[in-house]
Amino acid sequence: MKKVVKFGGSSLASAEQFKKVGAIISADESRVYVVPSAPGKRFPEDTKVTDMLLHVYETAKAGEDITEEMKAIKARYDEIITGLALKDFSLDKDFEEITKKLIENPQVDYAASRGEFLNGKIMAAYLGVEFIDAAEVIFFNAEGNLNSYKTEKVLSERLSKAPRAVVPGFYGLGKDGNVKTFSRGGSDVTGSIVAQASQADVYENWTDVSGFLVADPRIVPNPKPIKYITYRELRELSYMGASVLHEDAIFPVRNCGIPINIRNTNAPEDPGTWIVESTCQKQDYVVTGIAGKKDFCTIFISKAMMNSEIGFGRKVLQAFEENEISFEHMPSGIDTMTIVVHEDEFMHKEQRVVSAIHRLAKPDSVEIESGLALIAVVGRGMKSASGTAGKLFSALAKDGINIKMIDQGSSELNIIIGVKNKDFEPAIRAIYDTFIVDKKKN
């Protein structure tokens, strides 16, 4: 058994948290490769180290003195080093080099990545294992995307010579020879890449929650945990706002069939959530998860005999493409088509888009409505359960919630509904109560 373990910022925010992580790794000898994030918040009012480094970058870019800011960041790391009693270990030279580079040639990705780099060095010293700089083994192409082929080749070769190692998350090397980062939360992606390259059996992702929950706990009090979720279900929920794991983290391990186990550093005894390709594990509920977002717009396009006009849909979508606006959903009828877009992307270009639709598609009318919230009800069990949609709509009707849009894919994995922004939270609670609290009605 071989495991890759990634620890988030809250799991490594202090020496006390580092010790918890050390105990978790020591408790299972199969946890051989560790991917650390930068130190997160120690308390609610604290600042993440990555945010501190980004501020240093702005200061350096403006040509101002960064000495005091770098001292504050170094103090965070020195506090961890002292708390771990690493007497013969120091980051003094690293800070000198980082400060020099930020003064001479400030680069935002380099600055943002140093939190993981420095934390990785501490973790390797604490565990007594090899430190592998991610910039030596993870590569990006000229477009700024991961160079999967080169990364897997170089990283797998390097790991084959290191029975245990620490690889810091979040960054790699760009095509131009400079440090390049993933988007925020990208340490999850690094962990997945290391799991793929090392041919691990399991990728454990340790954070401050015990896995995924059926619904957002800020909306539903004490929602049930999800024991097993498939990659496809996770993609649907992540897209609609569920953010325990970076959505791009599933691709490297999905291709290899490596399961992801989301665990809680502060409650290591909890089994967490297993993210798998497929499973025969019996579900407790028909619905796996409920997630959503607010602030969408609908553009309702009407034209008689639309269904018989070849190329009508292409012409409508061309209007959005010309204005660099991506659409989210496109439910349609015989003589109608509705395009759903993000309100903040659309509102400043709305008249240009409407004008383009008239020019290209010549519709009878175009109507716009804002303030729409989308909710995804996701579950692999819905395909084999009769009456799921009926129960969903009945639950909303019972609470007086009007459905503005319905969109269901042919896979029957999810149902997406649109409601007014003001009905967003009540709708999620109504759906949760029907499918989870009142399980007998399933």
Side-chain angles (χ1 to χ4, degrees):
M1 178 70 74
K2 184 191 299 180
K3 294 179 181 178
V4 170
V5 289
K6 178 264 174 183
F7 291 91
S10 60
S11 300
L12 299 169
S14 64
E16 181 183 354
Q17 289 297 96
F18 255 84
K19 290 175 182 177
K20 290 180 184 178
V21 167
I24 288 168
I25 295 169
S26 300
D28 186 345
E29 62 181 13
S30 66
R31 292 172 177 144
V32 293
Y33 298 121
V34 183
V35 177
S37 296
K41 293 183 178 183
R42 296 162 294 182
F43 43 86
E45 298 78 21
D46 200 11
T47 303
K48 296 179 180 180
V49 164
T50 299
D51 290 331
M52 296 173 74
L53 285 162
L54 287 171
H55 193 272
V56 170
Y57 161 76
E58 294 293 342
T59 304
K61 186 180 177 184
E64 299 174 8
D65 185 24
I66 62 172
T67 304
E68 293 305 313
E69 290 184 60
M70 289 301 293
K71 280 183 179 179
I73 295 171
K74 188 173 185 299
R76 289 281 295 270
Y77 285 102
D78 286 344
E79 183 181 273
I80 294 172
I81 293 167
T82 301
L84 297 177
L86 296 175
K87 296 180 180 178
D88 298 324
F89 178 81
S90 170
L91 292 174
D92 291 352
K93 290 184 178 179
D94 295 293
F95 268 93
E96 288 176 11
E97 181 181 354
I98 293 168
T99 301
K100 182 181 178 182
K101 285 188 176 183
L102 287 175
I103 292 172
E104 294 177 351
N105 183 23
Q107 296 182 5
V108 64
D109 281 14
Y110 176 78
S113 70
R114 295 305 86 185
E116 279 76 9
F117 172 81
L118 295 166
N119 234 21
K121 285 205 157 187
I122 295 176
M123 177 63 74
Y126 182 54
L127 298 176
V129 301
E130 182 179 348
F131 171 79
I132 299 176
D133 187 354
E136 298 175 0
V137 292
I138 293 177
F139 305 96
F140 294 84
N141 59 29
E143 290 73 38
N145 301 315
L146 177 70
N147 185 333
S148 301
Y149 175 77
K150 183 177 181 181
T151 295
E152 185 174 2
K153 184 176 183 296
V154 175
L155 180 57
S156 59
E157 184 178 347
R158 184 71 176 272
L159 293 177
S160 68
K161 300 173 183 176
R164 306 180 76 88
V166 171
V167 183
F170 188 42
Y171 71 94
L173 191 69
K175 182 72 172 178
D176 59 0
N178 295 316
V179 168
K180 167 75 178 170
T181 63
F182 294 102
S183 58
R184 288 297 288 263
S187 291
D188 290 341
V189 183
T190 304
S192 187
I193 292 167
V194 173
Q196 178 192 39
S198 65
Q199 298 182 336
D201 298 287
V202 176
Y203 168 29
E204 291 183 344
N205 190 296
W206 292 80
T207 181
D208 55 2
V209 294
S210 296
F212 280 87
L213 302 173
V214 174
D216 189 334
R218 294 169 296 184
I219 299 173
V220 175
N222 301 313
K224 296 290 184 180
I226 299 173
K227 296 177 182 177
Y228 286 87
I229 184 171
T230 64
Y231 295 130
R232 291 176 63 202
E233 290 173 310
L234 175 63
R235 279 286 291 167
E236 296 288 346
L237 291 173
S238 295
Y239 166 72
M240 290 303 290
S243 57
V244 173
L245 183 75
H246 194 294
E247 60 180 321
D248 291 340
I250 68 171
F251 293 112
V253 291
R254 181 177 185 172
N255 295 335
C256 303
I258 300 170
I260 305 173
N261 190 195
I262 306 295
R263 302 287 294 273
N264 189 342
T265 303
N266 300 313
E269 69 284 353
D270 291 350
T273 297
W274 284 92
I275 305 168
V276 297
E277 182 176 10
S278 186
T279 178
C280 65
Q281 296 290 333
K282 185 178 178 182
Q283 284 185 277
D284 292 330
Y285 312 101
V286 170
V287 169
T288 300
I290 308 160
K293 294 178 182 177
K294 291 182 178 180
D295 299 323
F296 290 89
C297 272
T298 58
I299 299 88
F300 184 79
I301 302 150
S302 176
K303 186 175 185 180
M305 304 300 291
M306 177 193 298
N307 64 310
S308 61
E309 183 176 333
I310 296 172
F312 184 84
R314 175 186 56 78
K315 294 171 186 174
V316 169
L317 294 180
Q318 185 180 335
F320 290 87
E321 182 181 1
E322 286 180 357
N323 287 279
E324 299 182 327
I325 297 173
S326 60
F327 73 95
E328 302 299 312
H329 298 279
M330 191 174 63
S332 62
I334 297 174
D335 294 328
T336 62
M337 174 186 291
T338 303
I339 309 295
V340 182
V341 296
H342 283 281
E343 192 172 300
D344 58 351
E345 290 181 18
F346 178 73
M347 62 189 304
H348 303 297
K349 302 177 180 179
E350 63 172 27
Q351 296 310 315
R352 276 187 282 164
V353 174
V354 171
S355 177
I357 292 172
H358 277 285
R359 170 171 51 85
L360 295 164
K362 297 176 175 56
D364 294 335
S365 64
V366 178
E367 298 177 22
I368 300 171
E369 184 176 357
S370 61
L372 183 75
L374 297 184
I375 300 171
V377 182
V378 179
R380 60 191 181 278
M382 294 196 301
K383 189 172 184 178
S384 57
S386 60
T388 301
K391 290 168 187 171
L392 171 61
F393 303 146
S394 295
L396 298 176
K398 182 181 176 183
D399 280 32
I401 297 169
N402 183 36
I403 299 174
K404 307 289 290 183
M405 187 204 82
I406 302 167
D407 192 9
Q408 182 175 21
S410 59
S411 66
E412 297 185 51
L413 183 70
N414 70 329
I415 299 174
I416 295 176
I417 59 167
V419 299
K420 291 181 179 179
N421 275 344
K422 68 179 181 64
D423 292 326
F424 178 68
E425 288 85 1
I428 288 181
R429 285 191 286 267
I431 296 167
Y432 184 88
D433 287 345
T434 294
F435 287 97
I436 309 300
V437 176
D438 198 359
K439 183 183 174 182
K440 291 180 180 179
K441 289 187 178 180
N442 290 336

